[in-house]
């Protein structure tokens, strides 16, 4: 197993350091979540082939299924997400329709007032999911993407308070270099 992981790491490093004919690094930002629910989602994507990439995202104030913080409810949650993107577009690298299997880890808690005082739910959970979207690549530098995903969390405590199935979406903007 160690050799397999080491081989994958070496292959990834070789792909990262190889010369590309197009910009293969992208920083991105989900502008829709900032406007709609005051959640910050920033990410980095690395194209290691014309139609394949690995992406990593950090979600600050991550909200399960876009729940609000009204009526004395407060999310103290953040997440880290690692995904693989496969693009079906042929015009530009890393553009067009894409699918995104991912793993995500959320950590933090959720607090709400009740008749019995303050209730706290431990939101630490591991999530596996699948996303899809469409990305437009303008001049191999500016990108816009619309996307959605569905995931399954594996925490009994989160499932009791919320749901085992989670939905996520956004409107992302990014810059390639």
């Amino acid at each position: 197993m160690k050799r397999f992981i080491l081989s994958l790491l070496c292959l990834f490093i070789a792909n990262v350091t190889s010369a590309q004919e197009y910009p293969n690094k992208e920083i991105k930002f989900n502008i829709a979540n900032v406007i709609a629910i005051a959640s910050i989602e920033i990410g980095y994507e690395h194209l290691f082939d014309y139609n394949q990439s690995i992406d990593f995202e950090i979600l600050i104030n991550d909200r399960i299924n876009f729940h609000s913080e009204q009526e004395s409810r407060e999310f103290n949650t953040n997440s880290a997400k690692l995904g693989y993107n496969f693009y079906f577009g042929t015009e530009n690298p890393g553009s067009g329709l894409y699918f995104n299997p991912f793993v995500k880890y959320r950590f933090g808690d959720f607090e709400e007032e009740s008749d019995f005082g303050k209730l706290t739910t431990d939101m630490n959970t591991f999530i596996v999911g699948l996303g899809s979207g469409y990305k437009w690549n303008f001049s191999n530098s500016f990108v816009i993407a619309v996307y959605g995903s569905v995931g399954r969390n594996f925490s009994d405590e989160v499932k009791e308070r919320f749901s085992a199935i989670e939905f996520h979406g956004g409107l992302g903007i990014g810059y390639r270099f």
Side-chain angles (χ1 to χ4, degrees):
M1 183 67 174
K2 289 180 184 178
R3 288 182 183 174
F4 176 73
I5 292 172
L6 184 60
S7 298
L8 283 177
L9 183 61
C10 290
L11 182 62
F12 179 73
I13 290 171
N15 281 324
V16 168
T17 58
S18 66
Q20 297 282 338
E21 299 172 6
Y22 49 85
N24 63 347
K25 297 167 187 64
E26 177 182 321
I27 53 172
K28 51 190 176 178
F29 181 69
N30 184 347
I31 191 72
N33 279 357
V34 171
I35 295 168
I37 60 172
S39 175
I40 298 172
E41 180 178 334
I42 55 175
Y44 172 80
E45 184 173 341
H46 180 82
L47 275 81
F48 61 87
D49 195 9
Y50 192 82
N51 60 351
Q52 299 178 64
S53 69
I54 298 291
D55 76 270
F56 177 74
E57 295 180 9
I58 299 289
L59 296 91
I60 301 168
N61 197 21
D62 187 17
R63 310 250 189 101
I64 183 170
N65 291 334
F66 302 108
H67 280 277
S68 69
E69 287 191 323
Q70 296 175 352
E71 302 171 4
S72 300
R73 298 187 302 185
E74 184 177 337
F75 284 88
N76 301 310
T77 53
N78 300 308
S79 298
K81 177 182 158 193
L82 179 65
Y84 164 79
N85 296 326
F86 185 83
Y87 293 93
F88 292 95
T90 56
E91 290 182 22
N92 291 317
S95 65
L97 178 68
Y98 69 93
F99 288 101
N100 170 255
F102 65 88
V103 294
K104 178 177 169 182
Y105 184 75
R106 179 184 299 116
F107 50 94
D109 58 37
F110 171 76
E111 296 176 346
E112 65 183 327
E113 294 291 331
S114 73
D115 295 337
F116 306 107
K118 187 176 276 193
L119 296 176
T120 302
T121 303
D122 181 13
M123 299 293 287
N124 293 355
T125 186
F126 181 71
I127 302 161
V128 175
L130 179 65
S132 181
Y134 196 91
K135 187 179 279 189
W136 293 270
N137 178 353
F138 302 99
S139 302
N140 280 331
S141 61
F142 183 71
V143 294
I144 297 176
V146 292
Y147 53 90
S149 67
V150 61
R152 166 81 160 77
N153 77 60
F154 293 95
S155 168
D156 290 332
E157 191 171 352
V158 174
K159 289 188 287 187
E160 286 176 18
R161 172 60 183 88
F162 295 100
S163 170
I165 306 299
E166 299 187 16
F167 298 97
H168 182 74
L171 170 65
I173 57 173
Y175 179 74
R176 289 224 175 125
F177 54 98

